[in-house]
Structure formats: structure tokens, C-alpha cells
Amino acid sequence: MSVSPLPRRAVLALALSACALPSAAAPGGPTPADLLGATGEPYFLDWLNDFYARALAGGASKTVLDRELSGISPDPRVSSRDASQPEFARPVSDYIRGVVTADRIALGIRKRTAISQFPAIEQTYGVPRDILIGVWAMESGFGALQGDMDVVRCLATLAALGRRRAWAEGELTAALKIIGSGEATRSQMKGSWAGAMGQTQFIPSAFLSTAVDADGDGKRDIWGSAPDALASAANLLAKGGWRRGESWHREVILRSGFDYGLSEGPKDVPGWWESKGARRADGQAWSKADAAAPASLILPCGLAGPAFLIFQNHMAIRTYNNSIAYALGVGLLADRFAGGGPLKTPWPKETPLSLTDRMDAQSALQKLGYNPGQPDGVVGLNTRQSLRAWQKARGLPADGYLSPDMIRRLKAEANGGKPG
Ligand code: CA
């Protein structure tokens, strides 16, 4: 964070108040960026001039804007993170192995009895502590790794870069509002390069709308108070559609001849899935709540890996981070904290796919008349559904899983070779 000495700030405030901003951006006149002493490339200063004027017009506090944006500059670490796309996509199996570790399970189990507010939090929001501890573990290593970047500067940089401008400006405005309200100081507002703060990594808008005080001191402190952070996470999940008493996922075993094309498809109750050949891996009976709850099937590593029925609560976890792997990670940790054992079907060894391979597969699907979306290397739902349709048409198990073998077959067919 760039901190100006106080005397300069006083001068600046006077200069700003005398200058009738935002019209100060007139040709030749001083701009808000000049008056704020901001530095950086033209894209950043242009954005700052524009944002300052719009923020003022939108009702932001001039005092807070002047104080918090004075001397600001873009953070080069944010630009490089925002632009980077890893060459190899991390396979889900590898990601989960990194998440569900023996150390984390042992620590998480100890945390179950470490927070005296857990019974009240569970009662109020209906979210079990094991899920909250899973989120806590994933987001900040149980509060130990909250990020030390200046969230205001990071969000300003992201807004100026422009790829996610509307989002970043909204979050920056929320961050300034938090500081203006006195709920947190600028020096407290530390977090990740993408603006996530505190023990449960809330973005500023989520803090404003959803953070709660659970330790009874009247302050919402997601940085210093584990009960506040965990209750805030519970509130976020509850708002995200958490259903009290239902599971998040359950591992299932698929009988031979199962129609893999049902994955990421219909939503129905566990009894329907049983009729299709998916039975609960642990052999237990479904609870009354689960038996009436619609679920869909996922095969994160295709037919070679574990299969799960996912319930609404899996989707609620994805309000935190909209990724199947993330939600599975939280849920699998929770299963272990609650005393469950490892999966019945182990995670297979997967081959990381290069960006070129993923884009080639998408281009091949397009060429063959399917609709995977623009070839961008992101294997999302459209790509998987296209792949399933192609697999089905070729008489292959339609698991929608892009393996090196599938890529080879797709490319050969698209280049005029024989089908699969
Ligand atoms: Ca508190």
C-alpha cells in the first residue's frame, strides 16, 4: 500500500475540494489522478480518472475516495496473476489429493470441538460444522493463510486491467464502503490478489451483505475472529441454498452396463438412481431427507474414477467457488472430519492435458458438428456435453471425460480418419 505522509494528505484534500471534481478532467486541467498523486501506466491513470468521477457521482464518500486512492498505483503482481493461464490443467484427482491430506484431516478433527459457538451456528444456519471447517481449511488453512495483499489496490488494478471491470469496480466500491463505515481499516483489509479477505476469504460485497458477528462483541471480524468468520461462511452457504439435514454428495457404485450418458444430466431422487444402477458405495440406507432430495450424477475422472450423486448442498458450496473440484474438496474433507473413511473407488492416475490438446479437442468437436463453445481450452459443461454426444454416437461409454485417448480419436476423425 502506498501511504502518503499526513501533511501531504491535508494539502491534497484542500486541492481536491477546490477543484470541483469530476469536471477537473477538462483538457489541460489537473485530473483526479494528478491530484491524488497516483502513479502507473496510462491505462491505470485513465481508469482512475474515470472511476473517481463515477464513484463520486454514484454517492461514494469524497473523503474516503481521496484518502484511500491517494498515491495509488497498480500492483504488478495482480496484472501477472490476472493474465496467466497455466499451460497444463490440474487434473481433479491431483487437486483432491492435495486437498484431502492426513495433516488437514487431523487438524480439522481437532477444530470440531475448538469453537464454542459451533452448536449455535449449526442451529441458526443449518450448516454442519464439518462443512464450515472444510471451507475454513480450503480458504485459509484454518485462518493461518489469509493473504497479505492490499485489497483496495488489488481491486483497483483488476478494474483498470478491464477483463473483469464491472465486477472489480463493484468490489472496490464495497471495499471503500467498509472502510468508510469504520467496520475495518485499510490495514485490516488484506487478502488475496483477487480481493478475498479474512479467514473465510470473503470478497467485500459478500462481507457487506453476509458477514455476521458470532462472538458477541458487536463487530463483524472475519480476520481476527474464527467464530465470526465461520458463522459468516454458514450464512453465505445458507443464502446459497443450503438445505438443512441433507447430504452434499454421496459416493455411488455403478453397475456394469450403466448408462454413463446420465452423468451431469437428470436430477432425481436416490431411489430413481438406484433403479438405473447406482447404489450407495458405503452400503448405508438413505436418510429420510436424502431419499426425497433430487440429485445428479458426476464422474469427475470419467468411468475410471469415483462416481458421486450430488445434492443441492454441493451446489450451495459452489456459491463460494463455482468449481466441481472445489465443492468436492470441501465435501470430502467434511466427510473425513465426521469420521468417514476414504472413497471406495480410489482416484485414478490422470494425465494432465496441455492447453493445445484441450483446444484441439474442442476444435475437432466443432468440426464434427458438435457445439463445445469457442475453443478456449476450458473443458466446461458445453465441452463435456458435446463429448458425451460424440461418444454416444460412436458407441463409446459417454462419460464426457476428455482423456488423451479421446483427444487422439477426436483429432483423427476430424482430420478425415476413421471414426473412433
Ligand atoms: Ca465479532
Side-chain angles (χ1 to χ4, degrees):
M1 171 183 166
S2 312
V3 181
S4 311
L6 272 175
R8 188 173 157 270
R9 284 199 171 172
V11 173
L12 181 73
L14 283 172
L16 287 168
S17 59
C19 259
L21 288 165
S23 57
T31 65
D34 293 337
L35 294 166
L36 292 164
T39 55
E41 296 91 329
Y43 82 90
F44 184 78
L45 300 174
D46 287 350
W47 166 80
L48 182 60
N49 288 328
D50 189 50
F51 173 76
Y52 185 96
R54 283 184 289 115
L56 262 191
S61 153
K62 185 170 185 306
T63 311
V64 174
L65 279 174
D66 290 353
R67 188 181 67 222
E68 302 305 332
L69 299 180
S70 83
I72 198 165
S73 62
D75 189 329
R77 293 172 296 176
V78 174
S79 346
S80 58
R81 293 290 289 275
D82 190 48
S84 75
Q85 186 177 15
E87 172 58 16
F88 286 92
R90 191 175 186 191
V92 174
S93 54
D94 190 42
Y95 173 87
I96 296 289
R97 276 188 206 100
V99 164
V100 186
T101 63
D103 284 355
R104 207 176 249 169
I105 293 167
L107 192 49
I109 289 170
R110 289 208 295 278
K111 298 290 184 190
R112 297 185 93 234
T113 49
I115 309 285
S116 63
Q117 290 86 352
F118 266 146
I121 294 171
E122 289 175 326
Q123 182 56 37
T124 304
Y125 302 101
V127 183
R129 70 187 68 185
D130 295 311
I131 286 289
L132 301 174
I133 299 169
V135 168
W136 196 21
M138 299 278 277
E139 295 295 332
S140 69
F142 308 97
L145 307 162
Q146 301 184 28
D148 60 357
M149 294 178 77
D150 172 12
V151 161
V152 167
R153 187 181 179 206
C154 290
L155 290 169
T157 308
L158 283 171
L161 287 168
R163 195 167 62 83
R164 291 188 286 171
R165 174 162 296 161
W167 174 85
E169 285 187 350
E171 293 306 324
L172 175 59
T173 303
L176 295 171
K177 202 168 167 184
I178 294 167
I179 297 169
S181 73
E183 281 204 279
T185 61
R186 174 75 171 266
S187 59
Q188 252 184 311
M189 299 269 286
K190 293 287 194 296
S192 79
W193 68 279
M197 313 180 296
Q199 303 201 22
T200 39
Q201 296 284 282
F202 269 34
I203 53 176
S205 63
F207 176 89
L208 283 176
S209 65
T210 309
V212 293
D213 169 36
D215 61 12
D217 70 352
K219 294 183 190 129
R220 307 188 289 176
D221 180 5
I222 59 170
W223 299 270
S225 164
D228 285 11
L230 292 162
S232 299
N235 193 25
L236 188 80
L237 293 171
K239 286 182 170 204
W242 188 272
R243 291 160 65 110
R244 195 182 285 259
E246 288 182 13
S247 294
W248 33 97
H249 63 225
R250 289 288 176 190
E251 187 189 1
V252 288
I253 305 287
L254 308 177
R255 72 163 172 239
S256 73
F258 184 85
D259 176 7
Y260 294 102
L262 292 172
S263 58
E264 292 189 283
K267 268 171 117 172
D268 214 320
V269 295
W272 184 85
W273 285 105
E274 275 172 6
S275 77
K276 296 290 169 190
R279 65 178 171 79
R280 207 169 137 162
D282 62 7
Q284 304 283 310
W286 295 100
S287 69
K288 200 176 163 196
D290 282 353
S296 45
L297 180 82
I298 57 168
L299 301 165
C301 307
L303 55 84
F308 300 91
L309 285 187
I310 53 169
F311 295 86
Q312 168 58 32
N313 290 339
H314 168 94
M315 302 311 295
I317 298 169
R318 283 165 66 174
T319 57
Y320 234 105
N321 180 344
N322 190 16
S323 141
I324 293 174
Y326 174 86
L328 269 179
V330 169
L332 289 166
L333 279 173
D335 291 343
R336 300 303 296 272
F337 299 154
L343 295 173
K344 294 286 186 286
T345 303
W347 294 98
K349 185 107 189 98
E350 293 180 280
T351 308
L353 304 176
S354 73
L355 182 60
T356 313
D357 277 347
R358 285 173 276 143
M359 288 175 67
D360 284 353
Q362 290 172 318
S363 299
L365 282 166
Q366 246 181 359
K367 202 171 164 187
L368 295 168
Y370 295 90
N371 184 21
Q374 277 307 307
D376 57 3
V378 179
V379 182
L381 187 59
N382 286 339
T383 302
R384 296 194 296 270
Q385 298 290 34
S386 295
L387 179 59
R388 276 189 198 99
W390 175 82
Q391 288 172 321
K392 202 159 203 157
R394 300 294 173 273
L396 299 164
D399 63 358
Y401 180 65
L402 192 60
S403 63
D405 181 45
M406 287 301 124
I407 294 172
R408 190 182 50 73
R409 290 174 188 236
L410 280 168
K411 282 165 73 173
E413 189 182 326
N415 292 331
K418 283 186 188 160

